[in-house]
Amino acid sequence: MNSVVDPGEDTALAPDWDWQELEEEALDLLKRMLRVDTTNPPGNEALIIDEILEPLLRREGLEPVVLRKKEGRSNLVVRLSGDGSEAPLLLHGHVDVVAADPARWSHPPFDAVEAEGCIWGRGAIDMKQTVAMQITTLLALHRARVPLSRDLIVAVFADEEMGSALGSIWLAETHPELLRAEYALGEAGAYSVHFGGKRFYPIMVAEKGFVWLELTARGEPGHGSMPSRDNAVLRLARAADALGRRPLRFEATPPMKAFVGALADGLGGPKGAIVRSLLKPIPFRALGRALFPDARTADAFSAMLHDTAAPTMLGAGIKVNQIPSEASAHIDCRTLPGQTTQGLIDLVRRRVGSDIEIEVVAEGAPVHIDGSDPLLDAMKGAIASLDPGGIAVTNLISGFTDAKPLAALGARTYGFSPLVLPEGISFAAMFHGDDERIPVGGFRKGLRVFLELVREFCGE
Ligand SMILES: [Zn+2]
């Protein structure tokens, strides 16, 4: 050992990152991915996986595995090996996006235009920015040869926006060994939400389940000129209306108690007390609409506190003058943590009555990561360094992500993709919305805390 300068443990573990260079690299990767149209369907994720990410990782001496169930629908997994003293951390994302109508956008959705301090493009928030952050993090740790106590895995999936059948669900079924991890970090977490004059950063710890149903009503067929009450279309319409009138069931689940409680504490005073009362069904119905800035936010909160059913597709008849014998509807039902598929069907049955057939088309269980752990603590610390005035909270999302199959493999799954958003830019509005864009400054900050979090959590 050199007797004058002892480099010490910390110096060896904490390389002096060239932040400017890493940030430019991540931004460049993000723009390249945004310029590829991966609207799903048809997806075409191979245009990013096979043509951008795989060659990039190989050039750096890594060995990515690319797997597909269907031509053009590639998934990629790459691993940095640790010494095995702890179990792996998995970072995951998807590179498919939902459709964008260019006529409704201020800038073309697949050009990655930089304007007004933002990069504009479909996927800038959901979720090519997270993939760029995850890949850049892995590359930085690899290049600096940071010794790791656990494997760091990055998985980039296809097909999330259509339910993941060609992506995470298929890969978890066919190659679970590639994805098995103690912890998994994905989308939908750690972005700024402005509420009541404060900035909150929700870390996603729970997501609702889904039960997709097909309802069928039957009746006496006949001529349209001689209507009777025994009409499948009417019967189905009554069932759909009964489901749509109000949510199926209220419950303040543990993740919502934690989330609303933290919001109330953060706001304090009478405002905090009103927010806390939302955990009871009657105040929620009375106050919900008045409390939130817009109907969309009120609906989002309502979805987090109820089992819900939304009729989304209808089918009946082939001729205007012929009463059909059958009518059907697809219903998108979402379940709170703790609710089962059978429990949900019972609720639907009570609403629609006994003469409607109910068939389950697809289902996915809710996810809830309970309690605390070192990674959750580290994420809260990361948010404090991202935005010292921000408040970290845990939350539940009403949608679903690739976390479902990964949680089923045993991982503690979180949504964590740190991003500072100014008050005028709403994460919820941009998610699948028009003019999706990411503030460059917020992305740079997010990358720094993300890389530091992963280095500290995986480093020896
Ligand atoms: Zn997404």
Side-chain angles (χ1 to χ4, degrees):
M1 188 203 280
N2 186 313
S3 59
V4 182
V5 181
D6 177 4
E9 219 185 2
D10 282 343
T11 320
L13 287 179
D16 279 330
W17 305 114
D18 183 338
W19 287 117
Q20 184 69 23
E21 200 175 295
L22 284 172
E23 289 163 18
E24 293 306 326
E25 186 181 340
L27 285 165
D28 181 63
L29 178 59
L30 170 60
K31 287 182 193 167
R32 286 177 68 198
M33 291 194 288
L34 288 176
R35 290 191 183 112
V36 181
D37 182 348
T38 48
T39 303
N40 183 10
N44 285 326
E45 296 88 346
L47 297 175
I48 288 180
I49 303 279
D50 302 33
E51 292 179 26
I52 298 178
L53 298 180
E54 189 189 13
L56 167 69
L57 294 163
R58 284 210 186 278
R59 272 200 303 276
E60 301 270 348
L62 291 155
E63 289 174 12
V65 179
V66 174
L67 293 159
R68 59 187 76 81
K69 186 181 182 187
K70 211 176 144 193
E71 202 49 44
R73 312 302 304 274
S74 303
N75 300 276
L76 177 147
V77 184
V78 61
R79 181 181 296 255
L80 268 193
S81 293
D83 67 16
S85 56
E86 293 181 276
L89 168 68
L90 170 67
L91 311 178
H92 64 97
H94 63 84
V95 286
D96 61 319
V97 296
V98 295
D101 174 3
R104 298 173 54 92
W105 283 56
S106 308
H107 300 283
F110 295 103
D111 280 5
V113 169
E114 198 167 336
E116 298 162 53
C118 293
I119 297 172
W120 302 60
R122 175 57 87 219
I125 289 288
D126 180 18
M127 63 171 290
K128 289 173 177 173
Q129 94 289 10
T130 310
V131 174
M133 205 178 266
Q134 293 170 339
I135 294 280
T136 306
T137 293
L138 177 112
L139 287 176
L141 295 172
H142 171 63
R143 286 177 198 143
R145 305 199 186 293
V146 175
L148 305 177
S149 61
R150 56 175 96 231
D151 288 7
L152 175 66
I153 309 166
V154 174
V156 187
F157 297 121
D159 201 32
E160 196 271 347
E161 299 295 358
M162 291 288 285
S164 306
L166 303 174
S168 61
I169 292 177
W170 172 74
L171 208 61
E173 262 168 30
T174 55
H175 296 80
E177 72 288 350
L178 291 177
L179 300 175
R180 225 167 245 133
E182 182 177 9
Y183 296 101
L185 296 184
E187 67 180 316
Y191 47 86
S192 351
V193 175
H194 298 260
F195 184 63
K198 306 256 173 149
R199 284 187 309 284
F200 294 92
Y201 289 81
I203 298 168
M204 194 258 281
V205 299
E207 59 181 51
K208 289 178 80 177
F210 66 93
V211 183
W212 290 342
L213 298 177
E214 183 171 8
L215 304 191
T216 306
R218 297 189 196 278
E220 204 47 50
H223 199 278
S225 65
M226 293 174 287
S228 85
R229 289 297 294 164
D230 186 9
N231 178 326
V233 174
L234 289 174
R235 201 163 274 152
L236 185 83
R238 282 194 292 270
D241 181 56
L243 289 174
R245 245 170 225 202
R246 57 194 160 82
L248 291 175
R249 185 185 67 102
F250 180 98
E251 187 187 342
T253 57
M256 281 308 283
K257 283 182 182 158
F259 176 52
V260 174
L263 283 183
D265 291 345
L267 294 172
K271 223 177 202 173
I274 295 173
V275 167
R276 205 181 301 277
S277 72
L278 295 180
L279 289 172
K280 298 199 170 75
I282 290 165
F284 182 86
R285 265 176 224 132
L287 289 173
R289 302 283 141 186
L291 190 67
F292 297 109
D294 52 79
R296 206 164 164 165
T297 312
D299 290 340
F301 249 88
S302 178
M304 292 186 260
L305 289 162
H306 292 91
D307 292 324
T308 59
T312 49
M313 291 160 72
L314 287 172
I318 47 164
K319 255 174 124 246
V320 68
N321 61 354
Q322 192 178 359
I323 296 168
S325 61
E326 184 179 314
S328 68
H330 285 254
I331 315 290
D332 182 355
C333 302
R334 304 298 177 117
T335 49
L336 291 168
Q339 179 61 288
T340 61
T341 296
Q342 189 54 51
L344 185 282
I345 291 172
D346 292 345
L347 293 173
V348 170
R349 170 64 70 204
R350 239 171 276 156
R351 284 283 173 91
V352 303
S354 57
D355 61 347
I356 301 282
E357 292 163 31
I358 302 176
E359 192 194 331
V360 177
V361 176
E363 60 182 308
V367 174
H368 175 213
I369 305 305
D370 210 355
S372 196
D373 60 47
L375 182 57
L376 184 58
D377 293 340
M379 288 188 286
K380 289 179 179 168
I383 285 168
S385 64
L386 179 73
D387 179 352
I391 301 167
V393 294
T394 57
N395 81 328
L396 165 144
I397 63 164
S398 54
F400 63 84
T401 72
D402 287 319
K404 273 197 194 330
L406 302 172
L409 287 179
R412 288 178 70 83
T413 53
Y414 293 107
F416 187 77
S417 174
L419 172 65
V420 180
L421 287 172
E423 187 155 13
I425 300 186
S426 152
F427 184 85
M430 284 192 300
F431 215 81
H432 297 191
D434 299 328
D435 279 344
E436 186 176 347
R437 61 199 185 278
I438 185 164
V440 175
F443 176 79
R444 287 179 188 270
K445 267 193 193 170
L447 173 68
R448 288 186 186 206
V449 306
F450 191 77
L451 172 50
E452 280 300 291
L453 171 91
V454 173
R455 183 190 63 75
E456 274 169 33
F457 194 68
C458 296
E460 276 178 348

